[in-house]
């Protein structure tokens, strides 16, 4: 249903000091969803905590954007576990 971003909304924004922007290097993104709380880690460093009870179930998606600049990102080796 959300292929037009009608249901998507920004929950948090900012910069992660642990993010490596060197082209060709990789970063580890970890998201833990527990009840209405989301914990976002970059390279094992907590970068934000978000509480949002809007959705109780759904699908997982990721994307990268740099406002005003061309952005290229590759996501690989994605794993999902139920805790």
């Amino acid at each position: 249903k959300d292929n037009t971003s009608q249901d998507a909304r920004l929950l948090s924004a900012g910069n992660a000091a642990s993010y490596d922007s060197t082209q060709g290097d990789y970063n580890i993104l970890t998201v833990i969803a527990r009840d209405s709380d989301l914990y976002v880690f970059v390279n094992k460093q907590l970068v934000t905590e978000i509480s949002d009870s809007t959705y109780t179930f759904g699908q997982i998606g990721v994307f990268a954007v740099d406002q005003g600049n061309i952005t290229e990102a590759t996501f690989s080796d994605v794993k999902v576990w139920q805790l």
Side-chain angles (χ1 to χ4, degrees):
K1 177 181 178 185
D2 194 24
N3 62 355
T4 61
S5 298
Q6 292 175 345
D7 294 328
R9 59 193 180 104
L10 180 65
L11 297 177
S12 181
N15 297 315
S18 57
Y19 170 73
D20 182 357
S21 62
T22 306
Q23 186 174 4
D25 283 354
Y26 68 92
N27 294 278
I28 299 170
L29 172 66
T30 305
V31 178
I32 298 174
R34 183 176 294 138
D35 299 322
S36 61
D37 298 321
L38 301 171
Y39 304 90
V40 180
F41 298 80
V42 175
N43 297 325
K44 301 182 181 180
Q45 298 293 314
L46 180 66
V47 295
T48 192
E49 298 177 38
I50 306 153
S51 185
D52 181 23
S53 60
T54 304
Y55 302 106
T56 57
F57 65 93
Q59 299 174 336
I60 297 171
V62 294
F63 70 95
V65 65
D66 183 359
Q67 297 292 337
N69 295 301
I70 296 172
T71 305
E72 182 178 330
T74 302
F75 298 93
S76 63
D77 199 22
V78 176
K79 298 175 184 168
V80 177
W81 295 276
Q82 184 173 351
L83 302 176

